[in-house]
Amino acid sequence: MSTLTTMPRNGNDVSTRRETSSLPSFSSWVDNLFESGMGTGFLSNFNTGMTLPAVNIKENANEFYLEIAVPGMKKSDFNIDVDNKILSISSETKEEKEQKEENYTRREFGYSSFKRTFTLPDTIETDKISAQYKEGILTVHLPKKEEAKEKPAKRINIS
């Protein structure tokens, strides 16, 4: 409910107060829908069955690791490609179920896909990239080139 107030004019001390009920505008309704989180959750799962998977990137002195949370999939569901310093990880799954009974046929199908791309630094040995899928986590190992690996601190003696 909104409240409208009129201010006094020409020194008159008369104020009137009028309450009106109004429906929210379409644009404010859409804004509220997305701000509440329902909109993004609803749209991200509509006809996809999967949102963009979460990725952790770890680095140590010798390599990078990408850990991608993609439970419920098989190794054969993934495509991993490197092209011109771009690492692409994608998956596409289709599922169909059909149940026939005497009085009805029930048919369901689902489709899900994602694609994540990463620009690799020049320090990655692209010929030695490997991947492993275990317990719902796809791990991609990105070894660094020998010249890019961190060297231990070296003490220089003064002669």
Side-chain angles (χ1 to χ4, degrees):
M1 192 177 279
S2 62
T3 304
L4 300 176
T5 305
T6 44
M7 300 304 290
R9 286 185 171 180
N10 299 336
N12 293 339
D13 217 5
V14 177
S15 293
T16 59
R17 196 175 175 121
R18 182 180 61 176
E19 292 186 2
T20 61
S21 67
S22 63
L23 295 173
S25 69
F26 180 74
S27 62
S28 67
W29 178 78
V30 171
D31 290 342
N32 289 338
L33 178 69
F34 286 105
E35 287 172 5
S36 71
M38 189 206 90
T40 55
F42 174 74
L43 292 176
S44 66
N45 290 320
F46 184 75
N47 272 343
T48 63
M50 181 183 290
T51 58
L52 213 52
V55 176
N56 291 329
I57 300 174
K58 296 179 179 180
E59 179 184 14
N60 61 36
N62 298 317
E63 65 245 336
F64 287 93
Y65 283 99
L66 299 178
E67 295 176 332
I68 305 168
V70 281
M73 301 189 84
K74 300 178 295 236
K75 290 190 301 186
S76 60
D77 292 336
F78 298 104
N79 295 312
I80 303 173
D81 301 304
V82 177
D83 184 24
N84 199 21
K85 297 183 187 176
I86 302 293
L87 174 69
S88 298
I89 302 169
S90 62
S91 175
E92 183 176 320
T93 60
K94 298 175 184 175
E95 182 180 347
E96 291 188 26
K97 293 180 184 178
E98 188 172 322
Q99 178 183 1
K100 291 187 178 188
E101 297 294 328
E102 186 176 319
N103 298 333
Y104 68 91
T105 299
R106 176 180 171 183
R107 186 168 185 220
E108 295 182 5
F109 59 93
Y111 173 83
S112 64
S113 68
F114 75 87
K115 184 173 185 177
R116 297 289 309 251
T117 58
F118 304 90
T119 302
L120 299 176
D122 293 333
T123 58
I124 298 297
E125 190 74 54
T126 57
D127 295 337
K128 295 183 181 177
I129 294 174
S130 62
Q132 175 184 2
Y133 183 66
K134 185 178 179 182
E135 297 179 7
I137 304 292
L138 177 65
T139 303
V140 181
H141 175 242
L142 305 161
K144 293 181 180 178
K145 292 179 179 176
E146 197 60 43
E147 61 270 13
K149 293 180 181 177
E150 292 181 20
K151 309 289 189 272
K154 179 181 173 184
R155 183 164 185 95
I156 310 246
N157 293 323
I158 301 172
S159 56

